[in-house]
Amino acid sequence: DAKTTQPNSMESNEEEPVHLPCNHSTISGTDYIHWYRQLPSQGPEYVIHGLTSNVNNRMASLAIAEDRKSSTLILHRATLRDAAVYYCILRGPGANNLFFGTGTRLTVIP
Amino acid sequence: ETGVTQTPRHLVMGMTNKKSLKCEQHLGHNAMYWYKQSAKKPLELMFVYNFKEQTENNSVPSRFSPECPNSSHLFLHLHTLQPEDSALYLCASSQELGSGRLEQFFGPGTRLTVL
């Protein structure tokens, strides 16, 4: 699996937007970019995924660079419940598992 | 609620005990997974099942024995564990295998402590 690079930690003020970056310079043309998050004492939770175009859902937006070597997860208004570890994962065809890496720990400041 | 339930949520066992972890998914998925999350380490895939057949064993010691009687249920039988096996054990499911676009749905996990 191609690897991703994320900052270890980030902080955000409550009700402000958060941009979580991810670099994936070795991404292949068939790899989807997935984001998951893991809240304290819970299992990982799917957030969003995309291939080439930007994506929006009720939880977040995903902005994908034109060369697909990086992406950004956007939380439009951070809440205290968004404090979690966010994982950026590449998933290609035939990949059965998710390689989680160490993720970005997001702290939301009231 | 992700549609994947795990029981028990917490388990303490001695090294000579035998116990089982249970996972059930109510999503109609065909693929199920066991992951292990140790303290300060990334999640590690343990086993993958597709239509009740094991398709992947990620070099897991034989003291962990999975069972998948049907597409909705997955068990992890534990025996003669070591203290270093203490971890959060997570079950997940997905609609099918081999598609990069499909998400996995995780249960809340079983926090296992081996004394």
Side-chain angles (χ1 to χ4, degrees), chain B residues 7 21 28 30 44 46 49 53 55 77 82 88 92 104 108 112:
Chain B
T7 54
L21 310 184
N30 297 313
E44 304 167 60
M46 299 175 74
Y49 277 81
E53 299 298 319
T55 59
H77 304 298
Q82 306 297 313
L88 182 67
Q104 291 186 9
L112 174 68

Side-chain angles (χ1 to χ4, degrees), chain A residues 34 36 38 49 91 96 98, chain B residues 33 35 37 100-102 104:
Chain A
H34 287 249
Y36 283 72
Q38 188 170 18
H49 76 276
R91 195 146 188 242
N96 292 332
L98 299 171
Chain B
Y33 312 76
Y35 285 86
Q37 187 172 33
R101 63 180 175 80
L102 291 178
Q104 291 186 9

Side-chain angles (χ1 to χ4, degrees), chain B residues 33-90:
Chain B
Y33 312 76
W34 278 117
Y35 285 86
K36 174 184 177 183
Q37 187 172 33
S38 304
K40 306 213 194 271
K41 289 171 94 173
L43 272 80
E44 304 167 60
L45 179 71
M46 299 175 74
F47 302 102
V48 180
Y49 277 81
N50 191 37
F51 290 97
K52 304 187 300 176
E53 299 298 319
Q54 188 180 124
T55 59
E56 196 158 334
N57 175 338
N58 199 23
S59 303
V60 180
S62 60
R63 58 186 183 270
F64 295 91
S65 175
E67 179 190 0
C68 189
N70 55 61
S71 291
S72 299
H73 294 85
L74 187 63
F75 295 89
L76 188 62
H77 304 298
L78 316 171
H79 63 98
T80 327
L81 293 193
Q82 306 297 313
E84 59 264 29
D85 296 322
S86 299
L88 182 67
Y89 289 85
L90 291 154

Side-chain angles (χ1 to χ4, degrees), chain A residues 86-99:
Chain A
Y86 286 79
Y87 299 96
C88 169
I89 300 164
L90 301 183
R91 195 146 188 242
N96 292 332
N97 62 309
L98 299 171
F99 181 76

Side-chain angles (χ1 to χ4, degrees), chain A residues 55-96:
Chain A
V55 185
N56 299 297
N57 67 19
R58 63 176 178 82
M59 290 180 71
S61 296
L62 177 60
I64 302 173
E66 201 168 324
D67 64 4
R68 300 211 325 127
K69 294 186 176 183
S70 65
S71 61
T72 303
L73 179 72
I74 303 166
L75 307 179
H76 295 286
R77 269 178 84 244
T79 70
L80 296 178
R81 285 175 293 181
D82 291 322
V85 179
Y86 286 79
Y87 299 96
C88 169
I89 300 164
L90 301 183
R91 195 146 188 242
N96 292 332

